[in-house]
Coordinates of all heavy atoms in Angstrom, one line a residue:
M28 N 87.1 78.5 92.1 CA 87.7 79.9 91.8 C 88.6 79.9 90.6 O 88.5 80.8 89.8 CB 88.4 80.3 93.1 CG 89.0 81.7 93.0 SD 89.5 82.2 94.7 CE 90.6 83.5 94.3
I29 N 89.3 78.8 90.5 CA 90.2 78.7 89.3 C 89.4 78.7 88.0 O 89.7 79.5 87.1 CB 91.1 77.5 89.4 CG1 92.1 77.6 90.5 CG2 91.9 77.3 88.1 CD1 92.9 76.4 90.9
A30 N 88.4 78.0 87.9 CA 87.5 77.9 86.7 C 86.9 79.2 86.4 O 86.8 79.6 85.3 CB 86.5 76.8 86.9
V31 N 86.4 79.9 87.5 CA 85.8 81.3 87.3 C 86.9 82.2 86.7 O 86.6 83.0 85.8 CB 85.2 81.8 88.6 CG1 84.9 83.2 88.5 CG2 84.0 80.9 89.0
I32 N 88.1 82.2 87.3 CA 89.1 83.1 86.8 C 89.5 82.8 85.4 O 89.5 83.7 84.5 CB 90.3 83.1 87.7 CG1 90.0 83.7 89.1 CG2 91.5 83.9 87.1 CD1 91.0 83.5 90.1
K33 N 89.6 81.5 85.1 CA 90.0 81.1 83.7 C 88.9 81.5 82.7 O 89.2 81.9 81.6 CB 90.2 79.6 83.6 CG 91.5 79.1 84.2 CD 91.7 77.6 84.0 CE 93.0 77.1 84.3 NZ 93.1 75.7 84.1
E34 N 87.7 81.4 83.1 CA 86.6 81.7 82.1 C 86.3 83.2 82.0 O 86.0 83.7 80.9 CB 85.3 81.0 82.6 CG 84.1 81.3 81.7 CD 82.9 80.5 82.0 OE1 83.0 79.6 82.8 OE2 81.8 80.9 81.5
H35 N 86.5 84.0 83.1 CA 86.0 85.4 83.0 C 87.1 86.4 83.0 O 86.9 87.6 82.8 CB 85.1 85.6 84.2 CG 83.8 84.8 84.1 ND1 82.8 85.1 83.3 CD2 83.5 83.7 84.8 CE1 81.8 84.2 83.4 NE2 82.2 83.3 84.3
A36 N 88.4 86.0 83.3 CA 89.5 87.0 83.4 C 90.0 87.3 82.0 O 90.1 86.5 81.2 CB 90.6 86.5 84.3
H37 N 90.4 88.6 81.9 CA 91.1 89.0 80.7 C 92.6 88.7 80.9 O 93.1 89.0 82.0 CB 90.9 90.5 80.4 CG 91.5 91.0 79.2 ND1 92.9 91.2 79.1 CD2 91.0 91.2 78.0 CE1 93.1 91.6 77.8 NE2 92.0 91.6 77.1
P38 N 93.3 88.0 80.0 CA 94.7 87.6 80.2 C 95.6 88.8 80.7 O 96.5 88.5 81.6 CB 95.2 87.1 78.9 CG 93.9 86.7 78.2 CD 92.8 87.6 78.7
Q39 N 95.5 90.0 80.2 CA 96.3 91.1 80.6 C 95.8 91.9 81.7 O 96.5 92.7 82.3 CB 96.6 92.0 79.4 CG 97.6 91.4 78.3 CD 96.9 90.4 77.4 OE1 95.7 90.6 77.0 NE2 97.6 89.4 77.0
R40 N 94.5 91.8 82.0 CA 93.9 92.7 83.0 C 93.4 91.9 84.2 O 92.9 92.5 85.2 CB 92.8 93.5 82.4 CG 93.2 94.5 81.4 CD 92.2 95.5 81.0 NE 91.0 94.8 80.3 CZ 90.9 94.7 79.0 NH1 91.8 95.2 78.2 NH2 89.8 94.2 78.5
G41 N 93.4 90.6 84.2 CA 92.9 89.8 85.3 C 91.4 89.9 85.5 O 90.7 90.3 84.6
L42 N 91.0 89.5 86.7 CA 89.6 89.6 87.0 C 89.4 90.5 88.2 O 90.0 90.2 89.3 CB 89.0 88.2 87.3 CG 87.5 88.1 87.6 CD1 86.7 88.5 86.4 CD2 87.1 86.7 88.0
P43 N 88.6 91.6 88.1 CA 88.4 92.4 89.3 C 87.8 91.5 90.5 O 87.0 90.7 90.3 CB 87.4 93.4 88.8 CG 87.6 93.5 87.4 CD 88.0 92.1 86.9
I44 N 88.3 91.8 91.6 CA 88.0 91.0 92.8 C 86.5 91.0 93.1 O 85.9 90.0 93.5 CB 88.8 91.3 94.0 CG1 89.0 90.2 95.0 CG2 88.3 92.5 94.7 CD1 90.0 89.1 94.5
Q45 N 85.9 92.1 92.8 CA 84.4 92.3 93.0 C 83.7 91.4 92.1 O 82.7 90.7 92.4 CB 84.0 93.7 92.9 CG 82.5 93.9 93.2 CD 82.1 95.4 93.1 OE1 82.9 96.3 92.9 NE2 80.8 95.6 93.4
E46 N 84.1 91.3 90.8 CA 83.5 90.4 89.8 C 83.7 89.0 90.2 O 82.8 88.1 90.0 CB 84.1 90.7 88.4 CG 83.6 91.9 87.8 CD 84.1 92.1 86.4 OE1 84.2 91.1 85.7 OE2 84.4 93.2 86.0
L47 N 84.9 88.6 90.7 CA 85.1 87.3 91.2 C 84.1 86.9 92.3 O 83.5 85.8 92.2 CB 86.5 87.1 91.8 CG 86.8 85.8 92.5 CD1 86.8 84.7 91.5 CD2 88.1 85.9 93.2
G48 N 83.9 87.8 93.2 CA 82.9 87.5 94.3 C 81.5 87.3 93.7 O 80.7 86.4 94.1
N49 N 81.1 88.1 92.7 CA 79.8 88.0 92.1 C 79.7 86.7 91.4 O 78.6 86.0 91.5 CB 79.5 89.2 91.1 CG 79.4 90.5 91.8 OD1 79.1 90.6 93.0 ND2 79.6 91.6 91.1
H50 N 80.7 86.3 90.6 CA 80.6 85.0 89.9 C 80.6 83.8 90.9 O 79.9 82.9 90.6 CB 81.8 84.9 89.0 CG 81.8 85.8 87.8 ND1 80.7 85.8 86.9 CD2 82.7 86.7 87.3 CE1 81.0 86.7 85.9 NE2 82.2 87.3 86.2
M51 N 81.4 83.9 91.9 CA 81.4 82.8 92.9 C 80.1 82.6 93.5 O 79.6 81.5 93.7 CB 82.5 83.0 93.9 CG 83.9 83.0 93.4 SD 84.4 81.4 92.6 CE 84.5 80.4 94.1
S52 N 79.4 83.7 93.8 CA 78.1 83.6 94.4 C 77.1 83.1 93.4 O 76.3 82.2 93.8 CB 77.7 85.0 94.9 OG 76.4 85.0 95.4
Q53 N 77.1 83.7 92.2 CA 76.0 83.3 91.2 C 76.2 81.9 90.7 O 75.3 81.1 90.5 CB 76.0 84.3 90.1 CG 75.6 85.7 90.5 CD 75.8 86.7 89.4 OE1 76.3 86.4 88.4 NE2 75.4 87.9 89.7
I54 N 77.5 81.5 90.4 CA 77.7 80.2 89.7 C 77.8 79.1 90.7 O 77.3 78.0 90.5 CB 79.0 80.3 88.9 CG1 78.9 81.3 87.8 CG2 79.4 78.9 88.4 CD1 80.2 81.7 87.1
H55 N 78.5 79.3 91.9 CA 78.8 78.3 92.8 C 78.1 78.4 94.2 O 78.2 77.6 95.0 CB 80.3 78.1 93.1 CG 81.1 77.8 91.8 ND1 81.0 76.6 91.2 CD2 81.9 78.6 91.1 CE1 81.8 76.7 90.1 NE2 82.4 77.9 90.1
A56 N 77.3 79.5 94.3 CA 76.6 79.7 95.6 C 77.6 79.8 96.8 O 77.3 79.4 97.9 CB 75.5 78.7 95.8
L57 N 78.8 80.3 96.5 CA 79.8 80.5 97.5 C 80.0 82.0 97.8 O 80.1 82.8 96.9 CB 81.1 79.9 97.1 CG 81.3 78.4 97.0 CD1 82.6 78.0 96.4 CD2 81.2 77.8 98.4
T58 N 80.0 82.3 99.1 CA 80.3 83.7 99.5 C 81.5 83.6 100.5 O 82.0 82.5 100.8 CB 79.1 84.3 100.2 OG1 78.9 83.6 101.5 CG2 77.9 84.3 99.4
T59 N 82.0 84.7 100.9 CA 83.1 84.7 101.8 C 82.7 84.1 103.2 O 83.6 83.7 103.9 CB 83.6 86.2 102.1 OG1 82.5 87.0 102.5 CG2 84.2 86.7 100.8
K60 N 81.5 83.9 103.4 CA 81.1 83.2 104.7 C 81.4 81.7 104.6 O 81.4 81.0 105.6 CB 79.6 83.4 104.9 CG 79.2 84.8 105.2 CD 77.7 84.9 105.4 CE 77.4 86.4 105.7 NZ 75.9 86.6 105.9
N61 N 81.6 81.2 103.3 CA 81.9 79.8 103.1 C 83.4 79.5 103.1 O 83.7 78.3 103.0 CB 81.3 79.3 101.8 CG 79.8 79.6 101.6 OD1 79.4 80.4 100.9 ND2 79.1 78.8 102.4
I62 N 84.2 80.5 103.3 CA 85.7 80.2 103.3 C 86.3 80.7 104.6 O 85.8 81.5 105.2 CB 86.4 80.9 102.1 CG1 86.2 82.4 102.1 CG2 85.8 80.4 100.7 CD1 86.9 83.2 101.1
P63 N 87.4 80.1 105.0 CA 88.0 80.4 106.3 C 88.6 81.8 106.3 O 88.7 82.4 107.4 CB 89.1 79.4 106.5 CG 89.4 78.8 105.1 CD 88.1 79.0 104.3
E64 N 89.1 82.3 105.2 CA 89.6 83.7 105.1 C 88.5 84.7 105.2 O 87.4 84.4 104.9 CB 90.5 83.9 103.8 CG 91.8 83.0 103.8 CD 91.5 81.6 103.5 OE1 90.4 81.2 103.0 OE2 92.5 80.8 103.6
S65 N 88.9 86.0 105.4 CA 87.9 87.0 105.6 C 87.4 87.6 104.3 O 86.7 88.6 104.3 CB 88.5 88.1 106.5 OG 89.6 88.7 105.9
G66 N 87.9 87.1 103.1 CA 87.5 87.6 101.8 C 88.3 87.0 100.7 O 89.2 86.3 100.9
W67 N 87.8 87.2 99.5 CA 88.5 86.6 98.3 C 89.9 87.1 98.2 O 90.8 86.2 97.8 CB 87.7 86.8 97.1 CG 86.4 86.2 97.1 CD1 85.1 86.8 97.1 CD2 86.1 84.8 97.2 NE1 84.1 85.8 97.2 CE2 84.7 84.6 97.3 CE3 86.9 83.6 97.3 CZ2 84.1 83.3 97.4 CZ3 86.3 82.4 97.4 CH2 84.9 82.2 97.4
P68 N 90.3 88.3 98.5 CA 91.7 88.7 98.4 C 92.6 87.9 99.4 O 93.7 87.5 99.0 CB 91.7 90.2 98.7 CG 90.3 90.7 98.4 CD 89.4 89.5 98.7
K69 N 92.1 87.8 100.6 CA 92.9 87.0 101.6 C 93.0 85.5 101.2 O 94.0 84.9 101.3 CB 92.2 87.1 103.0 CG 92.4 88.4 103.6 CD 93.8 88.6 104.1 CE 93.9 89.9 104.9 NZ 95.3 90.3 105.0
Y70 N 91.9 85.0 100.6 CA 92.0 83.6 100.1 C 93.1 83.5 99.1 O 93.9 82.5 99.1 CB 90.6 83.3 99.5 CG 90.5 81.8 99.0 CD1 90.0 80.8 99.9 CD2 90.8 81.5 97.7 CE1 89.9 79.5 99.5 CE2 90.7 80.2 97.3 CZ 90.2 79.2 98.2 OH 90.2 77.9 97.7
A71 N 93.1 84.4 98.1 CA 94.1 84.4 97.1 C 95.5 84.6 97.7 O 96.5 83.9 97.3 CB 93.8 85.4 96.0
E72 N 95.7 85.5 98.6 CA 97.0 85.8 99.2 C 97.6 84.6 99.9 O 98.8 84.4 99.9 CB 96.9 86.9 100.2 CG 96.7 88.3 99.6 CD 96.5 89.4 100.7 OE1 96.6 89.1 101.9 OE2 96.2 90.5 100.3
H73 N 96.7 83.8 100.5 CA 97.2 82.6 101.2 C 97.5 81.4 100.2 O 98.0 80.4 100.7 CB 96.1 82.1 102.2 CG 96.0 83.0 103.4 ND1 94.8 83.4 103.9 CD2 97.0 83.5 104.2 CE1 95.1 84.2 104.9 NE2 96.4 84.3 105.1
R74 N 97.4 81.7 98.9 CA 97.7 80.6 97.9 C 98.5 81.3 96.8 O 98.1 81.3 95.6 CB 96.4 80.1 97.4 CG 95.6 79.2 98.4 CD 94.2 79.2 98.2 NE 93.5 78.4 99.3 CZ 93.1 78.9 100.4 NH1 93.3 80.2 100.7 NH2 92.5 78.2 101.3
P75 N 99.7 81.8 97.1 CA 100.5 82.5 96.1 C 101.0 81.6 95.0 O 101.3 82.1 93.9 CB 101.7 83.0 96.9 CG 101.8 82.1 98.1 CD 100.4 81.7 98.4
R76 N 101.0 80.3 95.1 CA 101.3 79.4 94.0 C 100.2 79.3 93.0 O 100.5 78.9 91.9 CB 101.7 78.0 94.6 CG 102.9 78.0 95.5 CD 103.1 76.6 96.0 NE 103.3 75.7 94.9 CZ 104.4 75.0 94.7 NH1 105.4 75.0 95.7 NH2 104.6 74.2 93.7
L77 N 99.0 79.7 93.3 CA 97.9 79.6 92.4 C 97.4 81.0 91.9 O 96.9 81.1 90.8 CB 96.7 78.9 93.1 CG 96.9 77.5 93.5 CD1 95.7 77.0 94.2 CD2 97.2 76.6 92.2
F78 N 97.5 82.0 92.8 CA 96.9 83.3 92.4 C 97.9 84.5 92.7 O 98.8 84.4 93.5 CB 95.7 83.6 93.3 CG 94.7 82.5 93.2 CD1 94.5 81.6 94.3 CD2 93.9 82.2 92.1 CE1 93.6 80.6 94.3 CE2 93.0 81.2 92.1 CZ 92.8 80.4 93.2
R79 N 97.7 85.5 91.9 CA 98.5 86.8 92.0 C 97.5 87.9 92.1 O 96.5 87.9 91.3 CB 99.4 86.9 90.8 CG 100.2 88.2 90.8 CD 101.2 88.3 89.8 NE 100.7 88.0 88.4 CZ 100.3 88.9 87.6 NH1 100.3 90.2 87.9 NH2 99.9 88.5 86.4
L80 N 97.7 88.8 93.0 CA 96.8 90.0 93.2 C 97.6 91.2 92.8 O 98.8 91.3 93.0 CB 96.4 90.1 94.6 CG 95.4 89.1 95.2 CD1 95.3 89.2 96.7 CD2 94.1 89.2 94.5
E81 N 96.9 92.1 92.1 CA 97.5 93.4 91.8 C 96.5 94.5 92.2 O 95.3 94.3 92.3 CB 97.7 93.5 90.3 CG 98.9 92.7 89.8 CD 99.2 93.0 88.3 OE1 98.5 93.8 87.7 OE2 100.1 92.3 87.9
K82 N 97.1 95.6 92.6 CA 96.3 96.8 93.0 C 95.7 96.5 94.4 O 95.8 95.5 94.9 CB 95.3 97.3 92.0 CG 95.9 97.5 90.6 CD 94.9 97.9 89.6 CE 95.5 98.1 88.2 NZ 94.5 98.3 87.2
K83 N 95.0 97.5 94.9 CA 94.4 97.4 96.2 C 93.0 98.0 96.1 O 92.6 98.7 95.2 CB 95.2 98.2 97.3 CG 96.5 97.6 97.5 CD 96.4 96.3 98.3 CE 97.8 95.8 98.6 NZ 97.8 94.5 99.2
G84 N 92.2 97.7 97.1 CA 90.9 98.3 97.2 C 89.9 97.9 96.1 O 89.9 96.8 95.7
T85 N 89.1 98.9 95.7 CA 88.1 98.6 94.7 C 88.7 98.3 93.3 O 88.0 97.8 92.4 CB 87.1 99.8 94.5 OG1 87.9 100.9 94.1 CG2 86.4 100.0 95.8
Q86 N 90.0 98.6 93.1 CA 90.7 98.3 91.8 C 91.4 97.0 91.8 O 92.0 96.6 90.8 CB 91.7 99.5 91.5 CG 91.0 100.8 91.4 CD 90.0 100.9 90.3 OE1 90.3 100.5 89.2 NE2 88.8 101.5 90.6
Q87 N 91.3 96.2 92.9 CA 92.1 95.0 93.0 C 91.7 94.0 92.0 O 90.5 93.8 91.8 CB 92.0 94.4 94.4 CG 93.0 93.3 94.7 CD 93.1 93.1 96.2 OE1 92.1 93.0 96.9 NE2 94.3 92.8 96.6
V88 N 92.6 93.3 91.4 CA 92.4 92.2 90.4 C 93.1 91.0 90.8 O 94.2 91.1 91.4 CB 92.7 92.7 89.0 CG1 91.8 93.8 88.5 CG2 94.2 93.0 88.8
V89 N 92.6 89.8 90.4 CA 93.2 88.6 90.7 C 93.6 87.9 89.3 O 92.8 88.0 88.4 CB 92.3 87.7 91.6 CG1 91.0 87.4 90.9 CG2 93.1 86.4 92.1
Y90 N 94.7 87.1 89.3 CA 95.1 86.3 88.2 C 95.3 84.9 88.7 O 95.8 84.7 89.8 CB 96.5 86.8 87.6 CG 96.4 88.2 87.1 CD1 96.6 89.3 87.9 CD2 96.3 88.4 85.7 CE1 96.6 90.6 87.4 CE2 96.3 89.7 85.2 CZ 96.4 90.8 86.0 OH 96.5 92.1 85.5
Y91 N 95.0 84.0 87.8 CA 95.4 82.6 88.1 C 96.8 82.4 87.5 O 96.9 82.6 86.3 CB 94.4 81.6 87.5 CG 94.8 80.2 87.6 CD1 94.9 79.5 88.8 CD2 95.2 79.5 86.4 CE1 95.4 78.2 88.9 CE2 95.6 78.2 86.5 CZ 95.7 77.5 87.7 OH 96.1 76.3 87.8
V92 N 97.7 81.9 88.3 CA 99.1 81.7 87.8 C 99.4 80.3 87.7 O 100.5 79.9 87.2 CB 100.1 82.5 88.6 CG1 99.9 84.0 88.5 CG2 100.1 82.1 90.0
G93 N 98.6 79.4 88.2 CA 98.9 78.0 88.2 C 99.9 77.6 89.2 O 100.5 78.4 89.9
A94 N 100.1 76.3 89.4 CA 101.1 75.8 90.4 C 102.5 76.1 89.8 O 102.8 75.6 88.7 CB 100.8 74.4 90.7
R95 N 103.3 76.8 90.5 CA 104.7 77.1 90.0 C 105.6 76.1 90.6 O 105.5 75.6 91.7 CB 105.1 78.5 90.4 CG 104.3 79.5 89.8 CD 104.9 80.9 90.1 NE 103.8 81.7 90.6 CZ 104.0 82.9 91.2 NH1 105.2 83.3 91.3 NH2 103.0 83.6 91.6

């Protein structure tokens, strides 16, 4: 997920969560069925040292913030 965000996210706009899901599926063959959380937003929320989420719903974007 970190590599996908680093490669495809815009520094000021992040990566739309829907695009993240598409990339994870296409590049790594991972879907939300492969992770313990109920979706990519929840996955990111449970890892605040690595990811930041902005907005909600279809406009939600994710940023990689690195280990703080």
Side-chain angles (χ1 to χ4, degrees):
M28 184 165 158
I29 292 169
V31 168
I32 294 170
K33 283 183 171 183
E34 183 175 344
H35 298 283
H37 185 279
Q39 286 80 34
R40 293 190 298 266
L42 182 65
I44 207 77
Q45 184 175 359
E46 285 184 36
L47 172 66
N49 292 339
H50 289 305
M51 293 299 288
S52 176
Q53 292 170 358
I54 297 168
H55 299 291
L57 287 173
T58 68
T59 54
K60 294 177 183 180
N61 302 107
I62 60 173
E64 291 80 8
S65 60
W67 296 115
K69 288 287 184 196
Y70 184 91
E72 284 175 9
H73 287 133
R74 292 155 182 85
R76 295 177 61 121
L77 296 175
F78 306 107
R79 175 171 54 92
L80 291 168
E81 288 186 358
K82 305 178 184 175
K83 295 286 181 187
T85 60
Q86 301 297 314
Q87 193 165 40
V88 294
V89 62
Y90 296 85
Y91 171 68
V92 295
R95 294 187 235 170

